[in-house]
Amino acid sequence: MAGSARSYDDTYAAWRRDPAGWWAEAAKGITWDAPPEAAFDGALGVYGRWFPGGRLNTCFNAVDRHVAAGRGTQAAIIWDSPMTGRIETTTYAELQQRVAKIAGALAARGVGKGDRVVIYMPMVPEAAMAMLACARLGAVHSVVFGGFAAAELAARIADAKPKAIVSASCGLEPGRVVKYKPLLDAAIGLSPHKPSSMLILQREAAPCELTPGRDEDLLAAEAAATPHACVPVESTDPLYILYTSGTTGAPKGILRDNGGHAVALHNSMSMVYGVGPGDVFWAASDVGWVVGHSYIVYAPLLAGCTTVLFEGKPVGTPDAGTFWRVCEQHRVKVLFTAPTAIRAIKKEDPDGAFLKRYDLSRMEALYLAGERCDPDTITWSERLLAKPVVDHWWQTETGWTITGNFRGLGLFPTRAGSGGKPAPGYDVVVLDEAHQEVPRGQIGSLAVRLPLPPSCLPTLFNADDRFREAYLSAFPGYYSTADAGMVDEDGYVWVMSRTDDIINVAGHRLSTGAMEEVLASHPDVAECAVVGVRDTLKGQVPLGLVVLKSGVAKGEAAISKELIAMVRDQIGPVAAFKDARVVARLPKTRSGKILRATLRKIADGDDYVVPPTIDDPAILDEVGDVLKAAMR
Ligand code: COA
Ligand code: AMP
């Protein structure tokens, strides 16, 4: 770790004095085929590029080098699946063999350096192996979360233009088998781009028919393949694209490079989480999200840890003690999950009766991220676990924490409700609408002074202009996080809310704009707004407000049912869109713009002022009552 055996303040100050030198030191944790010519070059790319001239292979760093160093018999991945009742361990040596063969199978189907591969898989080890196999070839993976519907998958296939897709016959949700093949076929049908091959993992719960000439059995292809060696790539070459919700229906392809990503993530394991080779790290998330990319797959493996890949839920698989059972059984040192998961456990096991059945003496800390964490969830966890609970703030765009607390630098006292202090690498500021820094303690837009540190997106896939427009234009010289918040007198950062139409449902990032596009396409809907309403379990849940076209005789219940089905069908079950209300009117400005920001504030239970531009304040009261009634 860069700056080891130093305090947070010293380390942050050391980074500020010499950012390039600090990151050059961190880069020593990576095995390079050719060392970088510089830590950073501000003349390259949109705002500069990290480690230009360096050549490396991310898969080699995550897998092969640990085998070469004698760690081949250590567990690399523990797959724990209450959904199937199976627990399986893959050692580093086994991982190397399987990944090399899956890479060979992909190469035999024409996948090479720079080609894209879409991975649409449930939480099985083959999902991580497929990602690493792409990295091994220098190919670019794009993992799509299993809870998205065919249309969302199609949008990602159309944008990424993959040569191949790696998938599975089904995913397993409590009480429901999610068949992937019909979704894949529908998505490929919808997308103008068609992949030439598809490798499918046949799962016992629901094997599928393979389309001749295109689909093949993944395990058979792996068995027949010749192992493929690691292909060195440029530090600045892409490792993956991860699509995330933007303010419109079209998702944004967050691009991650190889060099900066490897350096930042490797460094984060010791600096942020305080773990090293041989330690067991568990990120209870999904490989379809950024937390899964970074902390189920890449970072723990880059650091030579054992990672837990969990196919289950915090409750109901089979009970609220599952997380603690996994921690005991696999000797988890650090657990990372979303506050929602802890809230779900807390709701079912408020006094910790399940928790107390397990020996958690090996667990040293709980890290939370993905959404704003209510202080009560932090204090409940601290009290029952009697271990540090760290809230840290980050985004798909950054790939690792923007602010947090740092076990590798000695933890400073936490403050429930705050996301901690900036990680070395980030100069976090709070700006007002005139682009000026606001005094400490005042709320404004959270921004990061450029350049962003390694691992953060250098741009969007094939969309430099959209990148500039979406992130760099609001505050010239800064990356706009689209989060609002403040920095207090002591330097703690408090993230309060999004400044755009993104909502966070059970730690899942969703665009209300995308949902509005779906509602607006209903033939009876004249206009609509979707807002995130406060929810005690999921943080926020979407609520649709629709105004019907005149003359529509259908009742609210019928319309609502149709709208719910449409969102589920076009975005996916993960949108958790379960409530749509018919209203007579929506509050607007005199120029006809729907007052979404005000609706958001009411739905969040925040204070708001009636905008002076409002057309008819009475409408705000009417709709406000509907929103308040929907809060849970
Ligand atoms: N494939 C298919 N469907 C999926 C899915 C997947 N991978 N993941 C979720 N879904 C479905 C669920 O089955 C559910 O469908 P339903 O409407 O038929 O019930 C819907 O999407 C909503 O899922 P979710 O938001 O997960 O809610 P839930 O009620 O099933 O579970 C929690 C609630 C709290 C247990 C769950 O949200 C959870 O574990 N949250 C943690 C979040 C997390 O890990 N986030 C990652 C960021 S760090
Ligand atoms: P995602 O890209 O899905 O990780 O979502 C990123 C968004 O989630 C951020 O922009 C925040 O709005 C929110 N978020 C993530 N972590 C935190 C946190 N610790 N505190 C507050 N908000 C958070």
Side-chain angles (χ1 to χ4, degrees), residues 168 235 272 354 370 437 446 490 532 613:
S235 180
V272 182
F354 279 107
E437 280 192 47
L446 287 162
D490 304 311
T613 53

Side-chain angles (χ1 to χ4, degrees), residues 380-394:
W380 180 86
S381 325
E382 278 172 342
R383 182 168 56 78
L384 284 174
L385 289 169
K387 303 182 194 295
V389 176
V390 175
D391 183 9
H392 60 330
W393 168 50
W394 52 300

Side-chain angles (χ1 to χ4, degrees), residues 145-147 173-174 176 178 180 284-286 289 291 313-315 336-338 340-341 344 369-370 505-508 537-538 568 573-574 576 578:
F145 178 63
E173 285 293 294
R176 185 161 69 93
V178 184
Y180 282 8
S285 176
D286 187 289
W289 305 114
V291 174
K313 302 268 177 183
V315 293
F336 175 174
T337 193
T340 301
V505 181
H508 306 141
L537 175 64
K538 297 192 175 189
R568 193 175 175 93
V574 69
K578 306 227 158 136

Side-chain angles (χ1 to χ4, degrees), residues 244 290 368-373 391-397 419 481 483 495 498 504 507 509:
T244 190
V290 68
L368 299 171
E371 60 185 309
R372 186 173 149 67
C373 188
D391 183 9
H392 60 330
W393 168 50
W394 52 300
Q395 306 185 315
T396 305
E397 286 81 351
T481 67
D483 278 313
V495 183
R498 292 281 302 193
N504 213 308
R509 171 168 161 179

